[in-house]
Amino acid sequence: MKKYGDLICGAVCAVIAAAVFVMSVQIGMKESAAIGADFLPRIVAVILLVFSLVLMRSGWKTCRTYQEETPEFPPNGKGVLIMLAALVVYAAALRPLGFILTSLVFVFLAIVLMSRKEETNYVKFALISVVAVLAIYLVFTRFFGIRLPRGVIQFI
């Protein structure tokens, strides 16, 4: 089944892209608007379709020359469970603690969980977390005009 993984995933994504496109046509437009609510879903559907076709093409090429290999990294079920628990805690803490604080902790934890033990650099991970979260916060609040929960940090 691993042999056809990319081909199957590409086909499923292509079906999802087609469904999103069909549903976006049903949204309709207001007469006065040049770009309506259906514009972004159509763009996303077309981009998803293009990427899924590229994935299917790549999967078709690799399935013809596929050879079973031993995995480079062993499965990490414990890490997956920790990450799922972190997602639940993140969702629960987002409103009371705020976007910045909870996202800093979540991104830092995610990077630590996904890194190898011998490559762990907490200072670098903390710096990446701070820069990424602040950049995301500024883009969403200033550029898109979306309000994010402030939580206990009300002065920002």
Side-chain angles (χ1 to χ4, degrees):
M1 194 61 155
K2 287 183 182 182
K3 180 178 181 178
Y4 300 105
D6 285 346
L7 192 60
I8 293 169
C9 185
V12 168
C13 287
V15 169
I16 292 171
V20 168
F21 190 82
V22 168
M23 286 188 273
S24 71
V25 171
Q26 297 172 355
I27 291 174
M29 276 183 46
K30 291 184 178 178
E31 293 176 12
S32 62
I35 296 177
D38 61 339
F39 179 72
L40 186 61
R42 284 185 188 183
I43 297 297
V44 169
V46 169
I47 291 170
L48 182 60
L49 181 63
V50 169
F51 282 128
S52 63
L53 292 174
V54 169
L55 184 61
M56 286 173 61
R57 181 173 176 248
S58 171
W60 178 257
K61 285 182 178 181
T62 57
C63 77
R64 294 186 300 182
T65 60
Y66 181 79
Q67 294 178 357
E68 189 70 32
E69 298 176 1
T70 58
E72 184 178 344
F73 301 106
N76 187 4
K78 181 181 172 185
V80 171
L81 291 177
I82 291 172
M83 199 63 187
L84 287 174
L87 279 169
V88 170
V89 171
Y90 175 78
L94 189 59
R95 186 165 299 261
L97 296 180
F99 175 80
I100 293 176
L101 189 60
T102 53
S103 296
L104 282 173
V105 173
F106 178 75
V107 171
F108 180 78
L109 178 65
I111 294 173
V112 169
L113 283 173
M114 289 188 245
S115 66
R116 294 181 183 163
K117 297 272 189 225
E118 59 272 2
E119 296 175 356
T120 303
N121 183 348
Y122 295 114
V123 174
K124 180 174 135 182
F125 295 166
L127 184 63
I128 291 170
S129 300
V130 168
V131 170
V133 168
L134 290 179
I136 291 168
Y137 182 80
L138 290 175
V139 166
F140 274 84
T141 57
R142 304 285 190 247
F143 184 69
F144 294 128
I146 297 173
R147 295 183 343 177
L148 296 173
R150 290 187 181 178
V152 295
I153 306 175
Q154 292 292 328
F155 59 87
I156 294 180

